[in-house]
Amino acid sequence: MKEEQKTEKKENADFFKKVEALGLKQAQLEEMLYTMYLIRRFERMADQLYAAGKVHGTMHLSAGQEAVAVGLGLAVQDDDYLVNHHRGHGHFIAKGADVNLMMAEFLGKENGYCRGRGGSMHIADVEANNLGANGIVGGGFPLAMGAGLAVQMQKADQIVLGIFGDGSTNEGVFHESLNMAALWKLPVLFICENNKYGMSMDVEQVIAKLPIAQRADAYGIPWELVDGNDVVAVFDVMNKAVAHVRAGNGPYFVEAQTYRYFGHSKSDRNLYRSQEEIAAWREKDPIFRFRAALREANLITEETADELNEKANGVIESAVEFAENSPEPNVNTLMEYVYA
Amino acid sequence: MPEMTYLEAIRSALQYEMRQDERVFIIGEDIGVYGGAFGATFGMLEEFGPERIRETPISEAGIMGAATGAALVGMRPVAELMFMDFVLLALDQLANQAGKARFMFGGKATVPLVVRMPGGSGSGAAAQHSQSLESILMHFPGIKVVNPSTAYDAKGLLLSAIRDPNPVVFVEHKLLYKTKGEVPEEEYTIPIGLADIKREGRDITVVANNIMVKKTLAVAEELAEEGIEVEVVDLRTMRPLDVGTITSSVKKTGRLLVVHEACQTGGWAGEIMAIVSAHDAFNYLDAPMRRLAGADVPIPYNRLLERAAVPQEEDIAREIRAIMSNKY
């Protein structure tokens, strides 16, 4: 047996052991792969609808970052609170959002999550404890901290998932909120999705000391780095982090290092990074990687993996159909929900 | 009916509501042992404890966001900003987050929060501790803005504000804190969005808010001796604005002066005059409408300069006489 093959065999065995140790069952593994396909397909479709002039305004695609959303989604309770950032499609889907209502919102329809008033950047489902994406970079930090304060005062067992990008950690509210969350031992899991760029600025250009997560030290908050393109590793770290927070030990900080394939938003011409860099990250694609690992560990068949992909495509097709057949808001309702 | 100061009336409302609704809590700087910079929460730490009298670091955006996040999750926070000027540090959380959540999320979120803040000049606190910023806050759809001028209104409006399902900015005036009035011990509410005619008069309508109501009432007494009967409309709520009370009063008197301490440019007097000029009430005017506002200047430290920067009683009297005699 060649050296390379030996190493590969060992990695497969390690993956199998890891999955087993985490107690991940076959159905869960399939669900993880399916949800990653679903997110990727949702965004690809949204992008196509944008190109076709059906999605109005801009949006922020997370393709390449699906493992963070899915690893996290599996580690939390359905009723945990979610405070999201502007690149948040994946997290909502992974936490169980209805893609029909999401797609309807993208098309600005009356039966979308926000009745067409919010769009991609403000998707929320307050009844499901999804407190919304945010158009203001860093705007969610104090909200997550405040939601944590409420949960603590209510003596509830939920935790708050505060998700944000690398760029937002240079906003003042990042520091205000981490300090207050640590002072009061609030049940907030801070999740930094470091995709290497804040719009066009490389983290190394804008953050004086890396990794970002070490900033948590300043507030006595435990932190951990994780490969954000490895869905099993993300799940593993999130599991521990969630347990720490839910047990009343105060906040925890996870930095998931990942990469976005597409531009910041629809106006991005990708002038600040090379095609080689993008291609190199595509080699580490979280979906292909997970699928390959499952295959090699004989945890899934090619057929099942393809079926999951096809199923995701079908669900998104019907989400588009649902959205396209949904009504536009009536212009006469413009002033609804305005109380002052 | 017992007499209370404006400050005591505010405390009385806070205490009442915290006793009967455990979702209500106060969050802000130095509100515990210190009792808040002006003493509004003095003594409340003993009764309610540090969880509900939540003292914070000096982090205004953090305070505003904590209140907003907690309100989204079912609490009823009352945030205190030490000075109105500091709302500028918290404006993203107030205007972009708290004020927009309900609309942006398709009517499915409620943000029942109150943020109290003392504004106004007259205490020698100079340019960064003396502003009247209600005109800025009125600009944002999604935020109610209330500013009582009496102890009685303060208690009734604060109780309404805390019970309101939406964000309410509650503006207090530093110079009003020690003013006294009759205030019932028991519970009562004053609806948000209703102006109050603080004095009836046939000759001229003066629309004012907070401390300018008090000053105008003093002027009205003086002018009554000259035979000028001033009708004083206390807006009490800046947003939503009680247009009906303003226009009815203008129709009755045929003259209008708008008085505020906030700087003139972009100030809310312009809004009131625009409303009246586009309304049937305009046809009833016997003289041009006028406004008397704070000068377009940062509030100075020096006592004489500070006084000159905002409308005083003599200025109000001069403007009223000018309108009455058609000599400007």
Side-chain angles (χ1 to χ4, degrees):
Chain A
M1 191 182 281
K2 283 183 189 167
E3 268 313 300
E4 277 170 29
Q5 283 172 323
K6 268 190 204 164
T7 324
E8 207 166 276
K9 274 253 187 277
K10 185 174 177 307
E11 273 177 12
N12 294 345
D14 287 350
F15 179 80
F16 191 86
K17 271 188 204 157
K18 189 163 192 186
V19 163
E20 208 173 33
L22 290 170
L24 286 169
K25 305 277 179 285
Q26 181 81 25
Q28 285 172 305
L29 293 166
E30 288 180 10
E31 183 70 19
M32 286 161 84
L33 184 63
Y34 167 71
T35 309
M36 287 205 283
Y37 277 133
L38 190 66
I39 296 169
R40 177 90 35 114
R41 189 66 193 165
F42 179 91
E43 289 201 323
R44 181 160 302 178
M45 185 57 81
D47 198 35
Q48 284 171 15
L49 293 171
Y50 177 85
K54 289 180 180 169
V55 171
H56 178 57
T58 195
M59 64 181 143
H60 306 87
L61 300 173
S62 69
Q65 306 179 193
E66 293 88 348
V68 184
V70 172
L72 173 67
L74 195 63
V76 301
Q77 287 177 191
D78 286 348
D79 63 350
D80 284 335
Y81 290 96
L82 176 61
V83 177
N84 215 333
H85 60 79
H86 59 278
R87 200 176 304 286
H89 310 148
H91 316 121
F92 291 139
I93 293 173
K95 204 156 171 298
D98 182 334
V99 290
N100 286 359
L101 304 187
M102 277 182 75
M103 199 62 89
E105 186 62 30
F106 275 53
L107 296 196
K109 298 301 180 73
E110 178 64 29
N111 53 354
Y113 265 122
C114 304
R115 296 176 178 152
R117 272 73 172 173
S120 152
M121 229 181 323
H122 303 298
I123 289 202
D125 183 10
V126 177
E127 286 151 28
N129 293 351
N130 167 2
L131 304 182
N134 214 305
I136 305 295
V137 169
F141 288 117
L143 300 176
M145 181 263 291
L149 180 61
V151 167
Q152 186 186 64
M153 293 181 79
Q154 292 160 352
K155 297 182 171 53
D157 88 322
Q158 291 127 305
I159 67 167
V160 180
L161 313 169
I163 308 183
F164 50 93
D166 42 276
S168 70
T169 64
N170 289 328
E171 291 282 2
V173 283
F174 168 79
H175 298 277
E176 293 186 24
S177 304
L178 260 67
N179 183 48
M180 289 159 89
L183 267 179
W184 300 333
K185 289 187 122 187
L186 300 181
V188 182
L189 172 52
F190 291 102
I191 300 143
C192 177
E193 219 169 358
N194 176 2
N195 65 11
K196 199 165 147 55
Y197 293 95
M199 200 153 164
S200 70
M201 298 299 276
D202 192 307
V203 286
E204 303 203 356
Q205 287 176 284
V206 295
I207 296 182
K209 189 178 174 193
L210 293 170
I212 294 167
Q214 61 82 29
R215 289 181 167 188
D217 272 338
Y219 306 104
I221 299 175
W223 56 272
E224 199 159 344
L225 302 178
V226 65
D227 177 350
N229 281 28
D230 179 345
V231 67
V232 176
V234 172
F235 172 69
D236 186 12
V237 168
M238 294 300 179
N239 237 351
K240 282 186 272 186
V242 165
H244 171 96
V245 176
R246 206 179 307 281
N249 300 312
Y252 200 94
F253 192 114
V254 175
E255 175 182 342
Q257 296 175 329
T258 183
Y259 197 78
R260 64 168 150 81
Y261 298 150
F262 297 110
H264 159 74
S265 68
K266 302 312 297 178
S267 65
D268 191 334
R269 287 172 292 165
N270 266 321
L271 299 176
Y272 49 88
R273 55 184 184 172
S274 65
Q275 288 306 314
E276 290 73 30
E277 181 183 291
I278 300 173
W281 274 93
R282 279 191 182 269
E283 290 292 310
K284 296 185 268 188
D285 183 82
I287 301 180
F288 294 142
R289 210 166 138 190
F290 184 51
R291 176 172 168 152
L294 289 173
R295 276 291 300 126
E296 283 151 21
N298 277 325
L299 287 164
I300 203 166
T301 62
E302 276 298 315
E303 293 70 33
T304 308
D306 285 342
E307 276 167 26
L308 294 173
N309 192 8
E310 282 311 309
K311 183 179 152 197
N313 292 348
V315 167
I316 297 305
E317 289 293 332
S318 54
V320 173
E321 201 180 318
F322 173 86
E324 301 223 65
N325 291 328
S326 294
E328 298 270 357
N330 185 328
V331 175
N332 297 332
T333 65
L334 172 67
M335 299 306 287
E336 269 184 23
Y337 321 126
V338 179
Y339 41 81
Chain B
M1 211 185 288
E3 273 218 329
M4 260 186 221
T5 65
Y6 184 94
L7 189 71
E8 286 162 349
I10 287 165
R11 189 184 306 133
S12 166
L14 293 171
Q15 286 168 329
Y16 183 89
E17 206 59 4
M18 284 184 74
R19 282 173 195 149
Q20 67 105 29
D21 185 348
E22 62 179 20
R23 297 170 301 174
V24 179
F25 70 100
I26 305 180
I27 182 165
E29 295 160 7
D30 304 289
I31 57 173
V33 175
Y34 199 104
F38 293 90
T41 55
F42 191 77
M44 291 181 71
L45 180 65
E46 287 80 1
E47 180 177 354
F48 299 104
E51 283 230 324
R52 297 180 73 200
I53 305 293
R54 176 74 60 164
E55 295 198 90
T56 69
I58 301 170
S59 304
E60 283 79 10
I63 294 166
M64 200 64 244
T68 306
L72 274 167
V73 175
M75 301 298 283
R76 291 190 168 257
V78 180
E80 174 174 311
L81 296 180
M82 199 180 280
F83 287 87
M84 189 180 204
D85 312 66
F86 306 166
V87 75
L88 299 178
L89 289 158
L91 208 51
D92 172 57
Q93 290 299 317
L94 176 59
N96 279 330
Q97 312 295 341
K100 291 186 178 33
R102 182 164 182 76
F103 182 88
M104 214 161 55
F105 300 159
K108 296 172 186 171
T110 54
V111 187
L113 76 82
V114 177
V115 51
R116 297 178 35 245
M117 55 186 83
S121 68
S123 67
Q128 297 170 337
H129 290 73
S130 302
Q131 292 170 88
S132 297
L133 298 173
E134 69 273 16
S135 303
I136 292 177
L137 300 175
M138 284 167 71
H139 185 68
F140 301 109
I143 301 172
K144 298 185 180 184
V145 182
V146 171
N147 52 177
S149 70
T150 66
Y152 180 87
D153 288 353
K155 180 170 176 177
L157 280 167
L158 186 51
L159 283 171
S160 291
I162 299 172
R163 293 171 193 179
D164 199 283
N166 299 304
V168 181
V169 170
F170 194 85
V171 184
E172 297 156 15
H173 196 290
K174 299 174 194 80
L175 299 190
L176 290 174
Y177 278 140
K178 290 181 182 166
T179 59
K180 282 189 177 172
E182 289 191 337
V183 178
E185 290 282 3
E186 66 271 19
E187 167 198 23
Y188 62 95
T189 56
I190 294 171
I192 290 173
L194 286 189
D196 185 37
I197 296 178
K198 284 285 191 289
R199 179 193 172 102
E200 293 198 22
R202 60 167 191 266
D203 297 323
I204 181 169
T205 298
V206 177
V207 172
N209 69 340
N210 66 51
I211 192 135
M212 290 302 154
V213 173
K214 183 169 173 279
K215 289 186 178 180
T216 305
L217 285 169
V219 169
E221 285 296 312
E222 180 192 326
L223 293 180
E225 289 169 20
E226 297 174 20
I228 301 173
E229 288 297 334
V230 180
E231 178 142 303
V232 183
V233 177
D234 176 1
L235 285 179
R236 295 198 297 198
T237 299
M238 306 307 298
R239 186 178 184 123
L241 203 54
D242 183 354
V243 172
T245 297
I246 299 166
T247 50
S248 304
S249 178
V250 169
K251 281 186 178 181
K252 175 177 141 190
T253 66
R255 293 181 183 86
L256 175 63
L257 173 68
V258 186
V259 185
H260 62 62
E261 183 170 334
C263 293
Q264 177 162 305
T265 301
W268 57 263
E271 184 65 28
I272 305 287
M273 293 160 86
I275 289 169
V276 171
S277 66
H279 190 275
D280 172 44
F282 185 76
N283 295 320
Y284 292 73
L285 286 173
D286 297 324
M289 300 177 273
R290 302 268 293 171
R291 63 178 162 174
L292 178 64
D296 284 330
V297 65
I299 299 295
Y301 167 66
N302 173 277
R303 201 184 294 269
L304 297 173
L305 295 177
E306 182 188 33
R307 201 174 179 282
V310 301
Q312 303 296 340
E313 287 176 21
E314 60 270 25
D315 304 316
I316 299 169
R318 186 193 65 238
E319 278 298 321
I320 292 172
R321 289 193 187 102
I323 294 170
M324 292 307 298
S325 59
N326 256 314
K327 286 177 191 158
Y328 311 108

